[in-house]
Amino acid sequence: MSHIRVRIAAAAVLLAPLAACSSGSGTPAADGKAGASTAAEDRPATVTVSPQGKAVRAGVPVTVTATGGTLTSVTVTDAEGHSLAGKLSTDKASWSSRRKAVPGASYKVTAVTATKAGTRNTATSTFTTASADKVNKVDWRPGADTTVGIAQPVSLVFDNPVTDKAAVEKQLKITTSGGTEGSWGWMEDYSGRDRIDWRPKEYWKPGTRVTLRAELNGTDSGDGGWFVRDYATTFTIGASQVVKVDLDRKQLTLERDGKAVRTIPVSGGTPGGDKRSWRGTTVLMAKEGTINMNSETVGLADAYDKMVDFSMRLTWSGMYAHAAPWNDRWMGKANKSSGCIGMSDANAAWFYAQVRPGDPFEIKGKDTKGVPAPGNGFGAWNVPWTEWQARSALR
């Protein structure tokens, strides 16, 4: 999958307290009180920045406050010159950065202040953040600028454990061209790693434009792990295609815009044991072409080891739709595969050309091994909507 590297705005800032003074120009009265008052009014505002120091902990926003005056501008830049955006309070007495300071970075804070008497001053300070104990990276789907099927979720898998799931989820933003209703849901990926997916309540509307912005740079994922970059991807939803698989009737039907395009005889997983197929809704993860399939990799001993054409992955556990010419005599008659949905070479070639990643496969059959877990491929569609919403760390 393609990755988009996003240059992150410099994150949170840490500053030492800043103060600056200049002498007043008032003429002292006989008792000295008027001169003292004028000098006080002309004294520059005192600036305080937090956090401050060297090797300070990252992951907090920068705050700047002014005493005895107001802030007219605040800039925070990292060593590469990238600015950290922020916002002044209504009374202009304080400023807070929108993003957080990232690990292993140095920052410079420049604050311009003004007093009621018109005294202006510029105060500067620098600070550094401690390096991350470990960096948490992200593998996400789908790739950028792709067109996918109506069941495609946005899926992020993390290299290291995410113990502060709420902090991470807060930094993930999905926008759609049609205001699609959806929710994030946490799960364990088939690999055993932490994962979060965003799926709409119902299948996507064709033509929808979807954007993910994961502003994770400077976010503490917990357990000593930090994110040190942002991620983003934009993709488009293609035509409405649904693959209906009836294992009892041993047939597959491709529907487009609600109308049947073609029905194909198939042979599914052998009933009565570990070679049964999954049922429920799976999603086409990838079109992998010709690949080697070895039964030992999926716990079926030495049942098979062969090159397979037109392979279309449906789960991480090894369920595919593919060409299976060795089972031609069983197509449409009996389920004799090791769990996959097999079809003839000719039908597989046609079908492979029609479908795209993200298309849903709605599979039914009496003798199956249940529905795949959400993390086994894109199995989120087998979770009822209210239960899926409950998987969010922010609910």
Side-chain angles (χ1 to χ4, degrees):
M1 86 186 249
S2 61
H3 296 262
I4 290 183
R5 298 187 64 85
V6 175
R7 184 175 291 273
I8 300 127
V13 170
L14 318 150
L15 302 193
L18 306 175
C21 299
S22 61
S23 59
S25 59
T27 301
D31 59 3
K33 292 181 179 180
S37 174
T38 302
E41 290 179 356
D42 289 350
R43 183 177 298 123
T46 299
V47 175
T48 303
V49 181
S50 177
Q52 57 180 307
K54 295 182 178 181
V56 298
R57 189 177 187 278
V60 295
V62 180
T63 59
V64 181
T65 58
T67 305
T70 58
L71 294 164
T72 59
S73 70
V74 176
T75 58
V76 179
T77 55
D78 64 11
E80 296 181 355
H82 304 136
S83 297
L84 177 64
K87 184 178 182 180
L88 278 171
S89 62
T90 303
D91 61 5
K92 297 184 179 181
S94 63
W95 179 95
S96 181
S97 65
R98 188 177 69 85
R99 301 294 301 273
K100 305 167 186 175
V102 303
S106 60
Y107 296 93
K108 179 180 179 180
V109 180
T110 302
V112 179
T113 60
T115 65
K116 289 183 178 180
T119 301
R120 295 175 63 85
N121 189 60
T122 299
T124 62
S125 181
T126 60
F127 73 94
T128 61
T129 55
S131 298
D133 292 336
K134 55 186 175 183
V135 174
N136 207 343
K137 298 180 181 179
V138 181
D139 178 31
W140 79 94
R141 294 170 184 254
D145 300 322
T146 56
T147 298
V148 296
I150 60 174
Q152 176 70 52
V154 178
S155 183
L156 292 80
V157 181
F158 303 94
D159 276 2
N160 290 301
V162 178
T163 56
D164 194 345
K165 291 180 170 58
V168 171
E169 189 175 335
K170 285 178 182 178
Q171 302 305 117
L172 308 178
K173 306 297 180 185
I174 294 287
T175 55
T176 70
S177 59
T180 307
E181 180 182 3
S183 176
W184 290 104
W186 288 90
M187 70 198 75
E188 181 180 297
D189 185 63
Y190 191 74
S191 65
R193 296 178 293 172
D194 285 327
R195 170 177 154 188
I196 187 171
D197 285 9
W198 194 97
R199 53 150 282 205
K201 182 178 180 180
E202 300 174 345
Y203 289 155
W204 293 103
K205 181 180 178 181
T208 302
R209 187 77 169 165
V210 186
T211 298
L212 161 70
R213 297 195 183 280
E215 296 185 338
L216 291 170
N217 195 12
T219 300
D220 181 2
S221 60
D223 197 32
W226 289 86
F227 296 98
V228 296
R229 58 163 292 190
D230 290 347
Y231 299 84
T233 189
T234 298
F235 59 95
T236 303
I237 307 302
S240 176
Q241 294 193 145
V242 179
V243 181
K244 300 288 186 72
V245 181
D246 188 334
L247 295 176
D248 294 332
R249 300 179 67 181
K250 293 83 176 174
Q251 65 183 30
L252 171 158
T253 300
L254 173 63
E255 294 184 355
R256 186 175 296 135
D257 297 325
K259 297 180 180 179
V261 177
R262 182 186 291 188
T263 296
I264 295 171
V266 298
S267 180
T270 304
D274 293 338
K275 293 183 178 181
R276 291 175 294 173
S277 298
W278 293 106
R279 70 172 183 273
T281 299
T282 63
V283 177
L284 178 55
M285 301 176 66
K287 295 164 69 173
E288 299 181 4
T290 300
I291 61 174
N292 176 256
M293 291 190 180
N294 189 311
S295 56
E296 293 182 353
T297 65
V298 292
L300 293 177
D302 59 353
Y304 56 86
D305 183 3
K306 61 182 67 180
M307 300 302 293
V308 180
D309 295 329
F310 305 111
S311 298
M312 295 161 274
R313 181 182 284 275
L314 300 178
T315 69
W316 285 125
S317 61
M319 183 176 178
Y320 285 79
H322 60 73
W326 54 88
N327 268 348
D328 272 349
R329 61 176 174 153
W330 302 116
M331 301 302 174
K333 300 176 182 177
N335 292 318
K336 292 289 185 177
S337 81
S338 295
C340 295
I341 309 301
M343 59 197 82
S344 70
D345 279 335
N347 283 331
W350 176 86
F351 184 66
Y352 191 90
Q354 302 300 311
V355 295
R356 60 166 48 98
D359 285 346
F361 281 59
E362 297 178 353
I363 305 170
K364 65 180 182 179
K366 295 178 181 178
D367 197 352
T368 61
K369 54 186 175 184
V371 299
N376 185 10
F378 300 134
W381 295 102
N382 298 307
V383 180
W385 176 240
T386 54
E387 293 180 22
W388 177 255
Q389 289 178 298
R391 288 174 173 261
S392 167
L394 301 180
R395 292 183 180 270

